[in-house]
Amino acid sequence: RVLAPPHALARKIADLDGQTFGGFSIDIAPARPENSFICNETHHRALRAQSLGLPTPRAVYFVHLPYPAKGDEAHTELGAGAAALIAALVGMHAGEEPEEG
């Protein structure tokens, strides 16, 4: 079963589509019910906890990082792109009050 994030979070996710962080472009892809990996299960459980009003983080994101480019064996470029994305995600929620569960 595919769970959707809360409406306000879904809007924030959609706004990220096509943005670039550290030279890496964001491509929002829909969830696929046929996936059965631990990362999918972890994301599903976090979204479910939010939908039940359980104490959870303010937002739940699922990010697949690409393999580093040739020449970036130290992951410098990939790390910078991931750090920029994480900073943007955290910044989107700055000043928000935690929701009461």
Side-chain angles (χ1 to χ4, degrees), residues 24-71:
F24 294 89
S25 180
I26 302 297
D27 181 21
I28 304 298
R32 296 177 304 226
E34 68 274 7
N35 284 358
S36 58
F37 302 102
I38 188 69
C39 49
N40 299 80
E41 179 67 17
T42 302
H43 189 229
H44 178 86
R45 287 177 184 240
L47 286 172
R48 178 137 172 80
Q50 280 190 323
S51 73
L52 295 174
L54 300 175
T56 64
R58 290 184 201 162
V60 177
Y61 294 94
F62 182 77
V63 178
H64 271 285
L65 299 176
Y67 290 107
K70 286 196 183 282

